[in-house]
Amino acid sequence: MPNRLPRLSDKRRICIICEGSEEYEYLKRLKDLNVWSPRYEITPVNAFGNGNIPARYQDRYQNGSYELVLVFCDTEKKPHEQYEDIKRKINEFHGTDLAAGEVVIFGNPCTMQIISKHWTDECLKSPAKPINAPMIEHYTGVENYKGRMDQIERVMKYVTAENYADMFRRVQALNPDDSVSGSSNFGRFLKLFMSKDSSWIEAINKIL
């Protein structure tokens, strides 16, 4: 880990590189709801596309402003080529095959798999927005969801502190194997973000 800038507060600074606007706005919404421990200052960064994630990750990691840098993306459909490429580049950057498994937060097949857990136990089988649009409309009233910014902002209004507990319970039950459809490791990170004990940051950095 490169030298870090001295901390000006007791908060642990964490940067999360988000694949796109859906991931970015979702994390921003959760942050605004104050559902995580005040121990952490979590800063989401929009990479505007999964192809930009490795470079954004390396830049934020090397600039020394954060104590930990994470990635939040989806796997898309098999064979998950772009997702696997992100993991490979992160592993190569750190020189260990264990790195990506420690810093990549994923939703299989898509991030809406996680967001929808605020309202339903239903597991999405496809990342295709036309297939998932009826479900999104049912729970949020947003018609013909295509991931436009105005639609994302309307969907986020239905993500609340009250249904956060439902999402947390449901996501905890998901398979953490990223090769399995309907899986996510988000539950692991939610538990960490809610913990007052921040020693897990040092534990991850030792692996990197």
Side-chain angles (χ1 to χ4, degrees):
M1 197 77 178
N3 291 329
R4 293 296 172 212
L5 298 176
R7 289 209 302 251
L8 301 179
S9 74
D10 290 335
K11 289 182 178 291
R12 310 298 303 272
R13 299 196 69 199
I14 300 171
C15 177
I16 305 181
I17 308 298
C18 301
E19 176 178 333
S21 297
E22 206 169 64
E23 292 81 8
Y24 174 78
E25 294 296 331
Y26 180 53
L27 288 187
K28 194 153 66 75
R29 175 65 171 171
L30 293 182
K31 181 179 176 181
D32 291 344
L33 292 175
N34 295 314
V35 291
W36 297 329
S37 170
R39 187 85 177 87
Y40 311 103
E41 178 61 39
I42 296 177
T43 303
V45 172
N46 194 340
F48 297 101
N50 54 18
N52 299 323
I53 288 176
R56 293 289 207 291
Y57 175 84
Q58 292 179 31
D59 175 67
R60 292 306 192 279
Y61 184 90
Q62 291 175 322
N63 74 12
S65 297
Y66 302 96
E67 295 173 77
L68 183 67
V69 182
L70 303 173
V71 167
F72 186 26
C73 62
D74 52 34
T75 66
E76 290 290 344
K77 57 187 177 181
K78 290 184 178 180
H80 313 309
E81 289 179 347
Q82 292 174 311
Y83 171 72
E84 292 296 334
D85 190 53
I86 290 169
K87 292 199 299 179
R88 179 183 59 78
K89 289 179 178 177
I90 289 176
N91 285 338
E92 288 177 352
F93 174 68
H94 288 290
T96 171
D97 291 339
L98 302 176
E102 295 296 323
V103 302
V104 175
I105 304 168
F106 71 87
N108 181 334
C110 58
T111 303
M112 188 53 68
Q113 178 78 270
I114 296 169
I115 299 173
S116 65
K117 289 293 183 282
H118 283 267
W119 319 300
T120 178
D121 285 308
E122 180 182 354
C123 276
L124 307 185
K125 298 293 190 283
S126 168
K129 289 181 171 61
I131 292 176
N132 298 324
M135 180 272 292
I136 297 171
E137 181 179 358
H138 176 74
Y139 290 106
T140 69
V142 177
E143 299 177 356
N144 194 24
Y145 183 78
K146 296 181 178 179
R148 298 195 315 265
M149 181 55 71
D150 63 305
Q151 293 177 320
I152 294 173
E153 290 174 348
R154 288 164 59 198
V155 165
M156 290 307 140
K157 293 179 181 178
Y158 292 86
V159 171
T160 67
E162 289 72 27
N163 60 35
Y164 174 85
D166 296 325
M167 180 276 295
F168 179 65
R169 172 178 55 80
R170 289 165 175 152
V171 169
Q172 286 281 316
L174 293 178
N175 191 324
D177 183 343
D178 61 6
S179 67
V180 177
S181 179
S183 63
S184 177
N185 65 347
F186 194 44
R188 171 199 172 194
F189 288 92
L190 289 176
K191 194 171 182 180
L192 296 174
F193 296 161
M194 295 162 66
S195 172
K196 293 179 181 178
D197 180 1
S198 63
S199 61
W200 58 273
I201 293 177
E202 280 76 25
I204 289 178
N205 281 327
K206 283 182 180 178
I207 295 172
L208 304 182

